[in-house]
Amino acid sequence: MDRPIPFALPDIGPAEIDAVVDTLRSGWLTSGPQVARFETDFAESVGGGVEAVATNSATAGLHLALEALGVGVGDEVILPTWTFTATAEVVRYLGAQPVLVDVDRSTLNLSLERVVEALTPRTRAIIPVHMAGLPVDLRALRNRLGDRDIAVVEDAAHAFPASYGGSSVGSCEFSDACVFSFYANKPITTGEGGMVTTVDEALSDRMRVMRLHGIDRDVFNRYTAAGLSSDYDVVAPGFKYNMPDMAAALGRVQLARSNDLHARRKAIALRYLEAFAELPLDLPDGGYTRAEHAWHLFLIRLRRDAAIDRDGLREGLSALRISSSVHFTPLHQLTYWRETLATSDSDFPVASAESPSVLSLPLFSGMTDDQVERVIAAVKRLVT
Ligand SMILES: *Cc1c(COP(=O)(O)O)cnc(C)c1O
């Protein structure tokens, strides 16, 4: 019996383990020197002179970014229906209205035409999602917005490292803020964690205050600057969104390895693309010359002439001990969003048509060549 192939697996080596253990031994566990260095290292790696603000999740980062931009009651925020619920729920946290739009068939990223159609005088922000790690063309998005004062906050949960037209995701050349996830299965991980980048210092200052209770200095400074533990003020009812130092220590090692991890995922994706070229499958848009894809996920879509449907393929793979997953059931098909936004499949013809056929195959840096070939052989056998 073949051994199981997981859908994803964090790539944790001895350097990560040593870094976390050293932090445990250091006596400082919450946000401190490791977080400060992780932020500096991360900002440097995306470039553009950004500030980087570490959080305990991307969801927290999206919330902080929208809050710092002043999104609130009465505002509309446009985002693709093809995403994880976190992208939309943070809009609700602020009492604002999420406005879902359909996606482009080839990329599964939000359709710029649909964004333009969805604009109203209340539109305050747009959250493009770099689906699976393929960046949205943000320059084109900005061009479509003209000189309207609408914020762009990137959901880059899948997109590290990645770039579009030579501009790295996170450098915020065409956006107000960019939010990364370090959840356990994301391209680099801290177990749970996130990072927001921005070139706007007013935004990064506000996010640093709001991620820790609305206190105007962080704990580390407070206890080390002359021991003045009462030397702080509270300026808002903030949140508890800071990253612990164990997580940041892990993140720093992952960041240092990120190009190697990406190179391995890319090699696997290119092998899949080559092996599946003749099958009755729609394969992911690789970005080709315009983008560097992060290859967080590898989404295939079964065509009508395939010998099996998506659920059949999923079961067939499972019987061969190969895990797969679905990214994503569009938000408009999930109960809460369907009911509160009063939308239906006909409002999102592309996402509704594509959603039943999509499946994500195993793709992680620790996959062996044997595992990759087992997945390829299984998919070939099942779909033809
Ligand atoms: C994982 C994910 C998030 C949330 O990330 P967390 O760090 O778990 O909060 C947000 N958006 C998308 C598209 C994701 O896949």
Side-chain angles (χ1 to χ4, degrees), residues 15-65:
E16 279 88 346
I17 292 167
D18 288 349
V20 173
V21 171
D22 286 349
T23 304
L24 289 170
R25 293 211 166 100
S26 77
W28 194 278
L29 304 187
T30 184
S31 310
Q34 293 297 327
V35 168
R37 292 183 65 179
F38 187 30
E39 291 180 337
T40 311
D41 294 351
F42 195 88
E44 200 170 295
S45 96
V46 295
V50 294
E51 288 283 319
V53 178
T55 58
N56 57 8
S57 73
T59 308
L62 288 164
H63 185 197
L64 287 176

CSV table of all heavy atoms in Angstrom, one decimal, residues 15-65:
chain,number,residue,atom,x,y,z
A,15,ALA,N,16.9,24.5,11.5
A,15,ALA,CA,17.2,26.0,11.8
A,15,ALA,C,15.9,26.6,12.4
A,15,ALA,O,16.0,27.4,13.3
A,15,ALA,CB,17.6,26.7,10.5
A,16,GLU,N,14.7,26.2,11.9
A,16,GLU,CA,13.5,26.7,12.5
A,16,GLU,C,13.4,26.3,14.0
A,16,GLU,O,13.0,27.1,14.8
A,16,GLU,CB,12.3,26.2,11.7
A,16,GLU,CG,12.0,27.0,10.4
A,16,GLU,CD,12.7,26.4,9.2
A,16,GLU,OE1,13.7,25.6,9.4
A,16,GLU,OE2,12.4,26.8,8.1
A,17,ILE,N,13.7,25.0,14.2
A,17,ILE,CA,13.5,24.4,15.5
A,17,ILE,C,14.5,25.1,16.5
A,17,ILE,O,14.1,25.5,17.6
A,17,ILE,CB,13.7,22.9,15.5
A,17,ILE,CG1,12.5,22.3,14.7
A,17,ILE,CG2,13.8,22.3,16.9
A,17,ILE,CD1,12.7,20.8,14.3
A,18,ASP,N,15.7,25.3,16.0
A,18,ASP,CA,16.7,26.0,16.9
A,18,ASP,C,16.3,27.4,17.2
A,18,ASP,O,16.4,27.9,18.4
A,18,ASP,CB,18.1,26.0,16.2
A,18,ASP,CG,18.8,24.6,16.2
A,18,ASP,OD1,18.3,23.7,16.9
A,18,ASP,OD2,19.8,24.5,15.5
A,19,ALA,N,15.8,28.1,16.2
A,19,ALA,CA,15.4,29.5,16.4
A,19,ALA,C,14.3,29.6,17.5
A,19,ALA,O,14.3,30.5,18.3
A,19,ALA,CB,14.9,30.1,15.1
A,20,VAL,N,13.3,28.7,17.4
A,20,VAL,CA,12.2,28.7,18.3
A,20,VAL,C,12.7,28.4,19.7
A,20,VAL,O,12.4,29.1,20.7
A,20,VAL,CB,11.0,27.8,17.9
A,20,VAL,CG1,10.0,27.7,19.0
A,20,VAL,CG2,10.4,28.3,16.6
A,21,VAL,N,13.5,27.4,19.8
A,21,VAL,CA,14.0,26.9,21.1
A,21,VAL,C,14.9,28.0,21.7
A,21,VAL,O,14.8,28.4,22.9
A,21,VAL,CB,14.8,25.6,21.0
A,21,VAL,CG1,15.6,25.3,22.3
A,21,VAL,CG2,13.9,24.5,20.6
A,22,ASP,N,15.7,28.7,20.9
A,22,ASP,CA,16.5,29.8,21.4
A,22,ASP,C,15.6,30.9,22.0
A,22,ASP,O,15.9,31.5,23.0
A,22,ASP,CB,17.4,30.4,20.3
A,22,ASP,CG,18.6,29.5,20.0
A,22,ASP,OD1,18.8,28.5,20.7
A,22,ASP,OD2,19.2,29.8,18.9
A,23,THR,N,14.5,31.2,21.3
A,23,THR,CA,13.6,32.2,21.8
A,23,THR,C,13.0,31.8,23.1
A,23,THR,O,12.8,32.6,24.1
A,23,THR,CB,12.5,32.5,20.7
A,23,THR,OG1,13.2,32.9,19.5
A,23,THR,CG2,11.6,33.6,21.2
A,24,LEU,N,12.6,30.5,23.2
A,24,LEU,CA,12.0,30.0,24.4
A,24,LEU,C,13.0,30.1,25.6
A,24,LEU,O,12.6,30.5,26.7
A,24,LEU,CB,11.6,28.5,24.3
A,24,LEU,CG,10.4,28.2,23.4
A,24,LEU,CD1,10.3,26.7,23.1
A,24,LEU,CD2,9.1,28.7,24.0
A,25,ARG,N,14.3,29.9,25.3
A,25,ARG,CA,15.3,30.0,26.3
A,25,ARG,C,15.6,31.5,26.7
A,25,ARG,O,16.2,31.8,27.7
A,25,ARG,CB,16.6,29.3,25.9
A,25,ARG,CG,16.4,27.8,25.8
A,25,ARG,CD,17.7,27.1,26.1
A,25,ARG,NE,17.4,25.7,26.3
A,25,ARG,CZ,17.6,24.7,25.3
A,25,ARG,NH1,18.1,25.1,24.1
A,25,ARG,NH2,17.4,23.5,25.6
A,26,SER,N,15.3,32.4,25.8
A,26,SER,CA,15.7,33.8,26.0
A,26,SER,C,15.0,34.5,27.1
A,26,SER,O,15.4,35.6,27.6
A,26,SER,CB,15.5,34.6,24.7
A,26,SER,OG,14.1,34.9,24.5
A,27,GLY,N,13.8,34.0,27.5
A,27,GLY,CA,13.1,34.7,28.5
A,27,GLY,C,12.1,35.7,28.0
A,27,GLY,O,11.3,36.3,28.8
A,28,TRP,N,12.1,35.9,26.7
A,28,TRP,CA,11.1,36.9,26.1
A,28,TRP,C,10.2,36.2,25.1
A,28,TRP,O,10.7,35.8,24.0
A,28,TRP,CB,11.8,38.1,25.5
A,28,TRP,CG,10.8,39.2,25.3
A,28,TRP,CD1,10.0,39.3,24.2
A,28,TRP,CD2,10.5,40.3,26.1
A,28,TRP,NE1,9.2,40.4,24.3
A,28,TRP,CE2,9.5,41.0,25.5
A,28,TRP,CE3,11.0,40.7,27.3
A,28,TRP,CZ2,8.9,42.2,26.1
A,28,TRP,CZ3,10.5,41.9,27.9
A,28,TRP,CH2,9.5,42.6,27.3
A,29,LEU,N,9.0,36.0,25.4
A,29,LEU,CA,8.1,35.2,24.5
A,29,LEU,C,7.2,36.0,23.7
A,29,LEU,O,6.8,35.7,22.5
A,29,LEU,CB,7.3,34.2,25.3
A,29,LEU,CG,8.1,33.2,26.2
A,29,LEU,CD1,7.1,32.2,26.9
A,29,LEU,CD2,9.2,32.5,25.5
A,30,THR,N,6.7,37.1,24.2
A,30,THR,CA,5.7,37.9,23.4
A,30,THR,C,6.4,38.8,22.5
A,30,THR,O,7.6,38.7,22.3
A,30,THR,CB,4.7,38.7,24.4
A,30,THR,OG1,3.7,39.3,23.6
A,30,THR,CG2,5.5,39.7,25.2
A,31,SER,N,5.7,39.7,21.8
A,31,SER,CA,6.4,40.6,20.8
A,31,SER,C,7.6,41.3,21.4
A,31,SER,O,7.5,42.0,22.4
A,31,SER,CB,5.4,41.6,20.3
A,31,SER,OG,4.1,41.0,19.9
A,32,GLY,N,8.7,41.1,20.7
A,32,GLY,CA,10.0,41.7,21.2
A,32,GLY,C,11.0,41.8,20.1
A,32,GLY,O,10.6,42.2,19.0
A,33,PRO,N,12.2,41.5,20.5
A,33,PRO,CA,13.3,41.7,19.5
A,33,PRO,C,13.1,40.8,18.2
A,33,PRO,O,13.5,41.3,17.1
A,33,PRO,CB,14.6,41.2,20.3
A,33,PRO,CG,14.1,40.5,21.4
A,33,PRO,CD,12.7,41.0,21.8
A,34,GLN,N,12.6,39.6,18.3
A,34,GLN,CA,12.4,38.8,17.1
A,34,GLN,C,11.4,39.4,16.2
A,34,GLN,O,11.6,39.4,15.0
A,34,GLN,CB,12.0,37.4,17.5
A,34,GLN,CG,13.0,36.6,18.3
A,34,GLN,CD,14.3,36.4,17.4
A,34,GLN,OE1,14.2,36.2,16.2
A,34,GLN,NE2,15.4,36.4,18.1
A,35,VAL,N,10.3,39.9,16.7
A,35,VAL,CA,9.3,40.6,15.9
A,35,VAL,C,9.9,41.8,15.2
A,35,VAL,O,9.7,42.0,14.0
A,35,VAL,CB,8.0,41.0,16.7
A,35,VAL,CG1,7.1,41.9,15.9
A,35,VAL,CG2,7.3,39.7,17.1
A,36,ALA,N,10.6,42.6,16.0
A,36,ALA,CA,11.2,43.8,15.4
A,36,ALA,C,12.1,43.4,14.2
A,36,ALA,O,12.1,44.0,13.1
A,36,ALA,CB,12.0,44.6,16.4
A,37,ARG,N,12.9,42.4,14.4
A,37,ARG,CA,13.8,42.0,13.3
A,37,ARG,C,13.1,41.3,12.1
A,37,ARG,O,13.5,41.5,11.0
A,37,ARG,CB,14.9,41.0,13.9
A,37,ARG,CG,15.9,41.8,14.8
A,37,ARG,CD,17.0,41.0,15.3
A,37,ARG,NE,17.9,40.6,14.3
A,37,ARG,CZ,19.0,39.9,14.5
A,37,ARG,NH1,19.3,39.5,15.7
A,37,ARG,NH2,19.8,39.5,13.5
A,38,PHE,N,12.1,40.6,12.4
A,38,PHE,CA,11.3,39.9,11.4
A,38,PHE,C,10.7,41.0,10.5
A,38,PHE,O,10.7,40.9,9.3
A,38,PHE,CB,10.2,39.0,12.0
A,38,PHE,CG,9.4,38.2,11.0
A,38,PHE,CD1,10.0,37.7,9.8
A,38,PHE,CD2,8.1,37.9,11.3
A,38,PHE,CE1,9.2,37.0,8.9
A,38,PHE,CE2,7.4,37.1,10.4
A,38,PHE,CZ,7.9,36.6,9.2
A,39,GLU,N,10.1,42.1,11.1
A,39,GLU,CA,9.5,43.2,10.4
A,39,GLU,C,10.6,43.8,9.5
A,39,GLU,O,10.3,44.1,8.3
A,39,GLU,CB,8.9,44.2,11.3
A,39,GLU,CG,7.7,43.7,12.0
A,39,GLU,CD,7.0,44.7,13.0
A,39,GLU,OE1,7.7,45.6,13.5
A,39,GLU,OE2,5.8,44.5,13.3
A,40,THR,N,11.7,44.1,10.0
A,40,THR,CA,12.8,44.7,9.2
A,40,THR,C,13.2,43.9,8.1
A,40,THR,O,13.3,44.3,6.9
A,40,THR,CB,14.0,45.0,10.1
A,40,THR,OG1,13.6,45.7,11.3
A,40,THR,CG2,15.0,45.9,9.4
A,41,ASP,N,13.4,42.6,8.4
A,41,ASP,CA,13.9,41.6,7.3
A,41,ASP,C,12.8,41.5,6.2
A,41,ASP,O,13.1,41.5,5.0
A,41,ASP,CB,14.1,40.2,7.9
A,41,ASP,CG,15.2,40.1,8.9
A,41,ASP,OD1,16.0,41.1,9.0
A,41,ASP,OD2,15.4,39.1,9.5
A,42,PHE,N,11.5,41.5,6.6
A,42,PHE,CA,10.5,41.3,5.7
A,42,PHE,C,10.3,42.5,4.8
A,42,PHE,O,10.2,42.4,3.6
A,42,PHE,CB,9.1,41.0,6.4
A,42,PHE,CG,8.1,40.4,5.5
A,42,PHE,CD1,8.0,39.1,5.2
A,42,PHE,CD2,7.2,41.3,4.8
A,42,PHE,CE1,7.0,38.5,4.4
A,42,PHE,CE2,6.2,40.8,3.9
A,42,PHE,CZ,6.2,39.4,3.7
A,43,ALA,N,10.4,43.7,5.4
A,43,ALA,CA,10.3,44.9,4.6
A,43,ALA,C,11.4,45.0,3.6
A,43,ALA,O,11.2,45.4,2.4
A,43,ALA,CB,10.4,46.1,5.6
A,44,GLU,N,12.6,44.6,4.0
A,44,GLU,CA,13.7,44.6,3.1
A,44,GLU,C,13.5,43.6,1.9
A,44,GLU,O,13.8,43.9,0.8
A,44,GLU,CB,15.0,44.2,3.9
A,44,GLU,CG,16.3,44.6,3.2
A,44,GLU,CD,17.4,44.4,4.1
A,44,GLU,OE1,17.5,45.1,5.2
A,44,GLU,OE2,18.3,43.6,3.9
A,45,SER,N,12.9,42.5,2.2
A,45,SER,CA,12.8,41.4,1.2
A,45,SER,C,11.7,41.8,0.1
A,45,SER,O,11.9,41.5,-1.0
A,45,SER,CB,12.5,40.1,1.8
A,45,SER,OG,11.1,39.8,1.8
A,46,VAL,N,10.7,42.6,0.5
A,46,VAL,CA,9.7,43.0,-0.5
A,46,VAL,C,10.2,44.3,-1.2
A,46,VAL,O,9.7,44.6,-2.3
A,46,VAL,CB,8.3,43.1,0.0
A,46,VAL,CG1,7.7,41.8,0.4
A,46,VAL,CG2,8.1,44.1,1.1
A,47,GLY,N,11.0,45.1,-0.5
A,47,GLY,CA,11.5,46.3,-1.1
A,47,GLY,C,10.5,47.4,-1.1
A,47,GLY,O,9.5,47.4,-0.5
A,48,GLY,N,10.9,48.5,-1.9
A,48,GLY,CA,10.0,49.6,-2.0
A,48,GLY,C,10.0,50.6,-0.8
A,48,GLY,O,9.1,51.5,-0.7
A,49,GLY,N,10.9,50.3,0.2
A,49,GLY,CA,10.9,51.2,1.3
A,49,GLY,C,9.7,51.1,2.2
A,49,GLY,O,9.3,52.1,2.9
A,50,VAL,N,9.0,50.0,2.3
A,50,VAL,CA,7.8,49.8,3.0
A,50,VAL,C,8.1,49.7,4.5
A,50,VAL,O,9.2,49.3,4.9
A,50,VAL,CB,7.0,48.6,2.6
A,50,VAL,CG1,6.5,48.8,1.2
A,50,VAL,CG2,7.8,47.3,2.7
A,51,GLU,N,7.1,50.0,5.3
A,51,GLU,CA,7.0,49.6,6.7
A,51,GLU,C,6.3,48.2,6.8
A,51,GLU,O,5.3,48.0,6.0
A,51,GLU,CB,6.2,50.5,7.5
A,51,GLU,CG,6.8,51.9,7.8
A,51,GLU,CD,7.9,51.8,8.8
A,51,GLU,OE1,7.7,51.1,9.9
A,51,GLU,OE2,9.0,52.4,8.6
A,52,ALA,N,6.8,47.3,7.6
A,52,ALA,CA,6.1,46.0,7.8
A,52,ALA,C,5.6,45.9,9.2
A,52,ALA,O,6.3,46.2,10.2
A,52,ALA,CB,7.1,44.9,7.5
A,53,VAL,N,4.3,45.5,9.4
A,53,VAL,CA,3.7,45.4,10.7
A,53,VAL,C,3.3,43.9,10.9
A,53,VAL,O,2.4,43.4,10.2
A,53,VAL,CB,2.5,46.3,10.8
A,53,VAL,CG1,1.8,46.2,12.1
A,53,VAL,CG2,2.9,47.8,10.5
A,54,ALA,N,3.9,43.2,11.9
A,54,ALA,CA,3.6,41.8,12.1
A,54,ALA,C,2.3,41.7,12.9
A,54,ALA,O,2.1,42.5,13.8
A,54,ALA,CB,4.7,41.1,12.8
A,55,THR,N,1.5,40.7,12.6
A,55,THR,CA,0.3,40.4,13.3
A,55,THR,C,0.1,38.9,13.6
A,55,THR,O,1.0,38.2,13.2
A,55,THR,CB,-1.0,40.8,12.4
A,55,THR,OG1,-0.9,40.1,11.2
A,55,THR,CG2,-0.9,42.3,12.1
A,56,ASN,N,-0.9,38.6,14.4
A,56,ASN,CA,-1.1,37.1,14.7
A,56,ASN,C,-1.9,36.4,13.6
A,56,ASN,O,-2.1,35.2,13.8
A,56,ASN,CB,-1.6,36.9,16.1
A,56,ASN,CG,-2.9,37.7,16.3
A,56,ASN,OD1,-3.5,38.2,15.3
A,56,ASN,ND2,-3.4,37.7,17.5
A,57,SER,N,-2.3,37.1,12.6
A,57,SER,CA,-3.0,36.4,11.4
A,57,SER,C,-3.1,37.4,10.3
A,57,SER,O,-3.0,38.6,10.5
A,57,SER,CB,-4.3,35.8,11.8
A,57,SER,OG,-5.3,36.9,11.9
A,58,ALA,N,-3.4,36.9,9.1
A,58,ALA,CA,-3.7,37.8,8.0
A,58,ALA,C,-5.0,38.4,8.2
A,58,ALA,O,-5.3,39.6,7.8
A,58,ALA,CB,-3.6,37.0,6.7
A,59,THR,N,-6.0,37.7,8.8
A,59,THR,CA,-7.3,38.2,9.0
A,59,THR,C,-7.2,39.5,9.9
A,59,THR,O,-7.8,40.5,9.6
A,59,THR,CB,-8.2,37.2,9.8
A,59,THR,OG1,-8.1,35.9,9.0
A,59,THR,CG2,-9.6,37.6,9.9
A,60,ALA,N,-6.3,39.4,10.9
A,60,ALA,CA,-6.1,40.6,11.8
A,60,ALA,C,-5.5,41.7,11.0
A,60,ALA,O,-5.8,42.9,11.1
A,60,ALA,CB,-5.2,40.2,12.9
A,61,GLY,N,-4.5,41.3,10.1
A,61,GLY,CA,-3.9,42.3,9.2
A,61,GLY,C,-4.8,43.1,8.3
A,61,GLY,O,-4.8,44.3,8.1
A,62,LEU,N,-5.8,42.3,7.7
A,62,LEU,CA,-6.8,42.9,6.8
A,62,LEU,C,-7.7,43.8,7.6
A,62,LEU,O,-8.0,45.0,7.2
A,62,LEU,CB,-7.6,41.8,6.2
A,62,LEU,CG,-6.9,41.0,5.1
A,62,LEU,CD1,-7.7,39.7,4.8
A,62,LEU,CD2,-6.8,41.8,3.8
A,63,HIS,N,-8.0,43.4,8.8
A,63,HIS,CA,-8.9,44.2,9.7
A,63,HIS,C,-8.2,45.5,10.1
A,63,HIS,O,-8.7,46.6,9.9
A,63,HIS,CB,-9.2,43.4,11.0
A,63,HIS,CG,-10.2,44.1,11.9
A,63,HIS,ND1,-10.4,43.7,13.2
A,63,HIS,CD2,-11.0,45.2,11.7
A,63,HIS,CE1,-11.3,44.5,13.8
A,63,HIS,NE2,-11.7,45.4,12.9
A,64,LEU,N,-6.9,45.4,10.5
A,64,LEU,CA,-6.1,46.6,10.9
A,64,LEU,C,-5.9,47.5,9.7
A,64,LEU,O,-6.0,48.8,9.9
A,64,LEU,CB,-4.7,46.2,11.4
A,64,LEU,CG,-4.6,45.5,12.7
A,64,LEU,CD1,-3.2,45.1,13.0
A,64,LEU,CD2,-5.1,46.4,13.8
A,65,ALA,N,-5.7,47.0,8.5
A,65,ALA,CA,-5.4,47.9,7.4
A,65,ALA,C,-6.7,48.7,7.0
A,65,ALA,O,-6.7,49.9,6.8
A,65,ALA,CB,-5.0,47.1,6.2
